[in-house]
Amino acid sequence: MEFLTRFSLKNSAAVIIIVVLIILGGIVSALSLKVENMPDISFPVVIVETVYPNAAPEDVLDDVTKPLEKAVDKIEGIKYLNTISRDNASVLVIMLNSGVDVDKARDEVERKVSGVKLPVDAERPQISTEGFSSEPIYYVSVAPKNENASAESLDSLITNTVKPELEGITGVESVSVIGDRIRKVRIYPKLAALNQYGFSPSQFKQLVLSNHVGIPAGTVKINGEDNAVRVLTKFTNVEQIRNTKLFLPAGMNGGLSYVKVGDIADVEFEVKQEQISYLDGKPGISLRVYKSREGNTVETGKLVTQKLEEMQKRYPDLRIKTVYDSSVNIKNSISGMMKEGIMGAVMASIMILLFLRNMKSTIIVLVSIPLSILVSLIFMNWLNLTLNMMTLFGMAIAVGRVVDDSIVVIENIFRHLQMNQMRNTALIRLAAKEVTNAITSSTITTIAVFAPIAFVSGIVGEVFRPFAITVVCSLLASLLVAVTVVPLMTKLLLLRSTKVKEHKSGRLTHTYVNLLTWSLGHKLLTAAIALVLFVGSFGLVSLLNVSMFGDSKLGIIQTQLTMPKGTALEETASMTDKLQTVMQKHPEVDYIETVIGSGGQDNKSSMFVMLKDSANPGAIVDAFRKETDPMIPAETKFTINKISNGANEAYEVVLNGPSKESLQEAAEQVKEHMKKNPELFNVNDNLSDKKSEVIIRVDRDKAAEWGLSPSQISGDINSLVGGNKIGKIKIDEEEYDFMLGLKEEDSNSVEKIKGVELRTPSGQQVFLSDIADVKKEEAPAEIMRRDKKEYISIKADIASANKEGVSSAENAELRKLTLPAGVSISSGGVSEDMQKSFTEMFYALGAAVVMVYIVMVIAFGNAMAPLSILLSLPLAAIGGLVGLFVTRSTLDLTALIGFLMLIGVVVTNAIVYVDRVQQQREAGMPIREALLEAGVTRLRPILMTALATIVALLPLGLGEVKGSLMSPGLAIVVIGGLTTSTLLTLVVVPVGYEALDRLRSKFLRKNKSKEGNVPDQDVQQSI
């Protein structure tokens, strides 16, 4: 690095030009970076969704789910395969191992699935992946100001104008609509008429379809030119369907050969609302805007807002309300993070000024902050990273550390300028050279600390990797600035300055020298004190709350109401309205958006509750629960949760067993025990939802007597009661679903289904009840399997902030239960996620210590000096744990990242100190004098770097950026750890260094006595 200092001092103009280019490049990069809330990553999961109309869960399992399971289970890289079979749909959730390329896995799944033969009625499987960018970025509610306005006109405006215009915005992938009225053309057969005219239900269905065709019929040559021939007889309006003539068997209808569809069926243009949307209790239509993967969330959100404002002016009779705009949250978070980062830089500059008492020196040091950040932005642009909460947090954290190298360099140069009257470029070069090895070693050591994050798997590794890259880029830039720009600016601003005066050692220095002298003379007592503090601090771990991520301060609450299967949409709406009225009364509530019929299920509803800025989300959730719990009927679930930081914070146990009966028995035991735990609420399992089914068991012998087969009977019943979608119909350029089936009042009881008359091949009629047993039975609403075996998942929300503590305690209690033979229990949810993530982070911490030691051994050329430096690491843990305890913060993943970062930060001071000791010993100074001299010489830069880092992180540690994934825990850990390690390092490291040196000398003397000669210099240096 010394050659860079020589280059900068000799080529001032070139360095200035490079700095200008960096500034310009950094600004251009900042303007071109995509702005997101979180890194653009894909979760290690591939989802396969298949619609199978009119099929019960067991049919979906047998006909769709099992064939798809067989097709994909051999794909390389699968961790486990979860499947859900429910009414009309199959869902495969393929969890992948860490490191598997999600896009390649998706392509492989698509190839495998495309070769599976599924039932004719099943739709093509839809394959997707999940990531932060797959969530909607914008929620909008649109409603007429006049409550008597036509609902049809609003639907038409949304479908034909609002939705297409929003989808045309740059960066918008798609827009989903909730609460609009679905239009369908329905044919309702009249059973008596069908029987009168000799049609079976299946025949009637086929006759209708045979009149609604568009079939290519080949090509013909006309005037030498090929022309396609098409037979086109598709229906274009309802009257055409009613007036369509169907051919009759001979002798029917009094000799007539046809009958009109309208005579044997009702044909209607149906308008039905399958989902209901409210904003503050007033009906409307909700829109969800999804951005494209390449889109910029902030820029896309801005364009959507502008378009909506323009629409509001264009349609003054509408009330267009932005419910949620993620770009605003991102801008607020980024603004808050930038503000706290700038405040940290200002506080660091004040601290430096207090120590150096020279404005020019302070300015020189502060130059390293913007230059390091600008270099980071250039690297981020080059690496295709986005400007998000993680990268921004990395830069904010780096603010305190990037000045360290510059402080050490400027302090040493400043000290030499104070002591020497003969000031020239050689003096600056000499002063910089003295500390170049120290700052290079300390910076590379800190960078090495972040390398293990690259090996942390899963979402945790993906999320924190951009953070680590940003910090590493900033630190590398700060090192280059310290050895080039700082010496150059010193030459330009301070070399001829007459204001550089020597300041005599103060009381602090004398006190420190006395303390160090005493400690060196009482090594065992000093070590004992440090050990007691270290062991005592670990006693605080059991008193800390442990969680995946810190508690989110985002002022949004989400609720989910699940009523018994079969509940009508209107009944769900009535219950939801009562709950909403209770919550709307709270003064902290800003507005509530309600969706009834969530996920296309009439028995479910959800509410999106936006709170005012002054509200406490946790307190509001508790109040909501107390007020709504008495209102919830039996067999109805109502959950209220804050929007979390993206982590799975639910408690979950998974039961596996040999049979459904044993699993259900075990599930009841486990649920009963969990409900007794006051820290757990919303206890439910995947078997709790039951639904009723009408089972038709055909008597083959009786059916055969009438000339019917079970397949024929199934086809007729399906044509009547399935509400079948038989195709599409285009009316006035709008395409609608074409449906066929009995009216609800003709099939809403078992007795009416029993009374369905079927037509036999001989023309006779027979009641369904004469050839089949028809019963109503209870069945699970969903069938869930993992790796082709059924299991039961029992989940609960955790009330306490100590997620890990509650999970571990409940796991221990559940293991004591005596479950049915063959049933095993395992943890999932937050317990499984935390155990894996924390384990990997602890491995990363261990790997970081090893890498730090290796780097220092290479830098110092021996093994002893790095060992003494490592003594500063346990001292850092003391302050980190005490800091979390005092501030009542949570020990989460961000706090563990803080401990990881602490490993690199705290050794910096020890390296600066030990490097000076090594220099003095090489110059011939005795070890005790070298230790004392290094203490006096390096006291100021050590205190300056430590205090600058601490005060720079104070804004982040004391506050919390609203909506940020990062909790203050990281800053608190670094502040506390750096405080204790700095104070103790100045004493413990010298004591350890001298003790290790004595051990080395003793070893060498013993070696000398055995071998009869003195080890050469190389051997001494290597120990």
Side-chain angles (χ1 to χ4, degrees), residues 56 105 166 258 351 363 476 490 516 561 599 609 711 814 1014:
L166 289 176
Y258 66 85
M351 185 59 61
I363 293 172
L476 282 173
T490 305
L516 180 56
L561 174 70
V609 185
S711 176
L814 290 178
V1014 181

Side-chain angles (χ1 to χ4, degrees), residues 215-231:
I215 305 173
T219 58
V220 295
K221 275 189 181 293
I222 300 177
N223 298 327
E225 183 182 348
D226 286 337
N227 288 262
V229 178
R230 296 178 66 209
V231 177

Side-chain angles (χ1 to χ4, degrees), residues 63-90:
D63 299 344
V64 178
T65 302
K66 286 184 177 179
L68 291 177
E69 282 179 339
K70 187 177 180 180
V72 304
D73 72 339
K74 299 298 182 184
I75 291 176
E76 188 176 351
I78 290 183
K79 183 179 178 182
Y80 58 82
L81 172 63
N82 280 354
T83 64
I84 304 172
S85 302
R86 60 168 69 103
D87 283 341
N88 312 320
S90 164

Side-chain angles (χ1 to χ4, degrees), residues 568-589:
L569 188 69
E570 293 74 16
E571 190 176 343
T572 305
S574 175
M575 186 70 223
T576 305
D577 183 59
K578 295 175 184 177
L579 296 169
Q580 178 182 301
T581 302
V582 170
M583 293 189 287
Q584 192 75 54
K585 291 178 181 177
H586 282 260
E588 296 88 352
V589 172

Side-chain angles (χ1 to χ4, degrees), residues 1 70 121 171 179-180 200 245 261 327 379 412 420 437 526 530 789 791 847 881 898 902-903 975:
M1 288 293 178
K70 187 177 180 180
D121 293 338
D180 58 334
S200 71
K245 298 173 182 178
V261 171
S327 68
F379 273 104
N412 206 47
N420 292 277
N437 286 339
T526 303
K789 295 180 181 178
Y791 71 97
L881 292 172
L902 206 52
I903 293 172
I975 290 170

Side-chain angles (χ1 to χ4, degrees), residues 917-927 929-930:
V917 174
Q918 295 284 90
Q919 289 178 12
Q920 295 300 84
R921 293 196 66 193
E922 289 172 4
M925 188 178 290
I927 183 170
E929 292 181 23

Side-chain angles (χ1 to χ4, degrees), residues 268-499:
E268 298 177 4
F269 190 78
E270 179 188 77
V271 180
K272 184 180 179 182
Q273 199 169 13
E274 297 181 349
Q275 287 182 305
I276 303 172
S277 173
Y278 290 111
L279 182 65
D280 288 338
K282 297 179 180 178
I285 293 179
S286 295
L287 303 173
R288 301 286 187 263
V289 180
Y290 296 83
K291 81 171 187 69
S292 62
R293 186 147 194 175
E294 299 75 25
N296 182 322
T297 301
V298 171
E299 186 61 31
T300 303
K302 179 183 176 182
L303 293 174
V304 171
T305 300
Q306 291 175 349
K307 173 60 72 173
L308 293 175
E309 289 174 350
E310 185 260 319
M311 286 182 179
Q312 184 66 79
K313 294 177 182 176
R314 202 191 322 164
Y315 305 108
D317 294 336
L318 293 182
R319 180 169 58 96
I320 301 176
K321 170 75 173 178
T322 297
V323 177
Y324 174 67
D325 179 2
S326 64
S327 68
V328 172
N329 180 47
I330 293 171
K331 286 186 284 189
N332 290 339
S333 298
I334 289 176
S335 174
M337 194 70 78
M338 290 181 65
K339 182 176 71 176
E340 293 184 359
I342 292 170
M343 285 175 61
V346 171
M347 293 176 71
S349 65
I350 294 172
M351 185 59 61
I352 295 166
L353 182 60
L354 290 175
F355 272 92
L356 295 180
R357 287 172 272 184
N358 185 286
M359 182 59 73
K360 290 182 180 179
S361 298
T362 303
I363 293 172
I364 292 171
V365 171
L366 293 181
V367 165
S368 61
I369 296 177
L371 282 180
S372 300
I373 299 302
L374 288 170
V375 170
S376 294
L377 292 170
I378 293 172
F379 273 104
M380 286 170 59
N381 195 30
W382 179 54
L383 295 170
N384 291 322
L385 298 178
T386 62
L387 189 63
N388 53 64
M389 289 308 304
M390 301 306 297
T391 52
L392 203 61
F393 198 83
M395 285 188 279
I397 285 292
V399 164
R401 176 59 183 82
V402 295
V403 297
D404 286 5
D405 293 343
S406 297
I407 286 175
V408 173
V409 172
I410 192 64
E411 193 279 335
N412 206 47
I413 295 174
F414 196 77
R415 186 171 61 84
H416 276 273
L417 291 176
Q418 288 176 328
M419 295 188 301
N420 292 277
Q421 296 300 318
M422 297 297 292
R423 299 170 180 173
N424 52 37
T425 304
L427 183 66
I428 296 177
R429 192 166 63 245
L430 174 65
K433 180 182 178 182
E434 285 183 353
V435 294
T436 297
N437 286 339
I439 63 172
T440 303
S441 301
S442 62
T443 301
I444 293 176
T445 300
T446 307
I447 290 171
V449 162
F450 289 96
I453 291 182
F455 303 102
V456 176
S457 64
I459 303 302
V460 174
E462 292 286 344
V463 168
F464 281 104
R465 207 158 289 137
F467 166 80
I469 291 172
T470 306
V471 174
V472 167
C473 291
S474 299
L475 294 180
L476 282 173
S478 72
L479 176 61
L480 293 174
V481 170
V483 297
T484 55
V485 178
V486 170
L488 175 59
M489 291 189 67
T490 305
K491 171 186 171 182
L492 298 176
L493 297 179
L494 286 180
L495 194 59
R496 305 303 175 194
S497 175
T498 59
K499 294 184 179 181

